Every structure is written in structure tokens, then in C-alpha cells.
Amino acid sequence: DVKVTQSSRYLVKRTGEKVFLECVQDMDHENMFWYRQDPGLGLRLIYFSYDVKMKEKGDIPEGYSVSREKKERFSLILESASTNQTSMYLCASTFSSNQPQHFGDGTRLSIL
Amino acid sequence: AQSVSQHNHHVILSEAASLELGCNYSYGGTVNLFWYVQYPGQHLQLLLKYFSGDPLVKGIKGFEAEFIKSKFSFNLRKPSVQWSDTAEYFCAVSYTGGFKTIFGAGTRLFVKA
């Protein structure tokens, strides 16, 4: 069974800090995604990656960057955390868009 | 822009009631359709999917969905809900040849015991 592991379930950081969220998948999937989930807004795509070192902006990339140095790992970086980035962050992976995405448990990030 | 619209944000039902959650997507080509479910405190998981063939697809836990191409719809149904179906349900669409999956805003279902 596919396993997508996010490094933290809960994280509390301060405004202005640089924040790293890590995600690892164990199924050799080509595509990986970072979403944020907010009540009433569903899942909004921040960034995605379709191969090592390749990345594409999603719908809300401002204030975020990503890194994919290895196929199994996709990192989300908040360059200078702000309170409006308090949210649930979900990582997902899939072999192709024709296949379902597999999600991690999520990281609930609070920026104080 | 491509989009997915879920008709209801909150639904409250009694056990044994029938469920139908609406989902419409914007026109854009050949689609792959999904319903995901997120139970309280758990990760999103696939409920069912449609890629091609029979437009009526069956998923886990007695759920089914019908793809109506002319209406750009993919509604989720269950004839008799249980308390354990309390969860948030997301409709999602991807377009063949693309990378992205577009998610609806979600529908929170609460089933009263």
C-alpha cells in the first residue's frame, strides 16, 4: 500500500521564521503535490513536481517555494512565515493524473 | 479556468436516509473523475473513480457515482447512510494529459444516530 509520510502532524512557528515541511512517498511516484486545506475552500494547489528537480506553480504559490532533490521527497518551504499561512498542509503523490492521488496525514501549521 | 463545484457545503442526515451530493465541473476535455473522503482525524482517501466505460461506478462502503457527460456532473449517492459516514467529501477532476487535479470545496456530511 502506498505510504505518504509528512514529517509533522502539528507545528507552531513564529512570524518571519523560515519553515520547512517535508513529505516522503515510498511508491516511486513521478508526481508530487502540496496543497493547503482551509474550511470552505477545499484543497488549493500550492506547487507540484512531475520529476526530480522539476517544479511548477499551482494556484497559490505566493510566499512558498519547494524542493525536490530526490524522487521520493518533496519539501515545502515558507520563506518568511506569516499568520495568513496558518492552515492544514497536505502532501500527495501519484503516478499520473489518470490515477488517484495518495495523501499524507497532513501538517497543521500555526503561525503566531 | 477549470473548476469543480460542489452544491452543498454542509449536509445533515439521519441514519438510513438516502444521500446525494452534487458535483459539477467546467468543460475542458477528457476527464478523470474522483470522489475522496476524509473521516475525522484521518487522511483523504479515495472513495471511487471514473476514467471511462460504464458511467455508473461503485466504490467502497456502498457508495456509487454517476457520470453524466451532457451535464458535466458526477454526483455521489448512497441509498442508506450510517453514522460512520460522517466525514467531508471532495469531488475532484483531472484532465487527461495534464498534471493537476482540481478539487471542489468539499461537503461536510453529519449523520445523526
Side-chain angles (χ1 to χ4, degrees), chain A residues 39-51:
Chain A
L41 298 177
L43 277 68
R44 293 181 292 168
L45 182 64
I46 304 171
Y47 266 95
F48 66 97
S49 168
Y50 53 89
D51 201 352

Side-chain angles (χ1 to χ4, degrees), chain A residues 45-75:
Chain A
L45 182 64
I46 304 171
Y47 266 95
F48 66 97
S49 168
Y50 53 89
D51 201 352
V52 175
K53 296 191 185 295
M54 305 304 290
K55 59 187 179 184
E56 292 288 339
K57 292 180 180 179
D59 301 315
I60 52 165
E62 296 78 19
Y64 303 95
S65 63
V66 290
S67 172
R68 191 150 181 219
E69 297 296 319
K70 294 184 178 181
K71 194 174 186 179
E72 67 271 17
R73 186 180 297 272
F74 192 36
S75 303

Side-chain angles (χ1 to χ4, degrees), chain B residues 67-83:
Chain B
F67 170 49
I68 303 178
K69 190 174 182 179
S70 60
K71 295 184 178 180
F72 307 113
S73 71
F74 190 55
N75 292 352
L76 181 70
R77 301 195 291 248
K78 186 170 183 179
S80 176
V81 294
Q82 301 172 309
W83 175 81

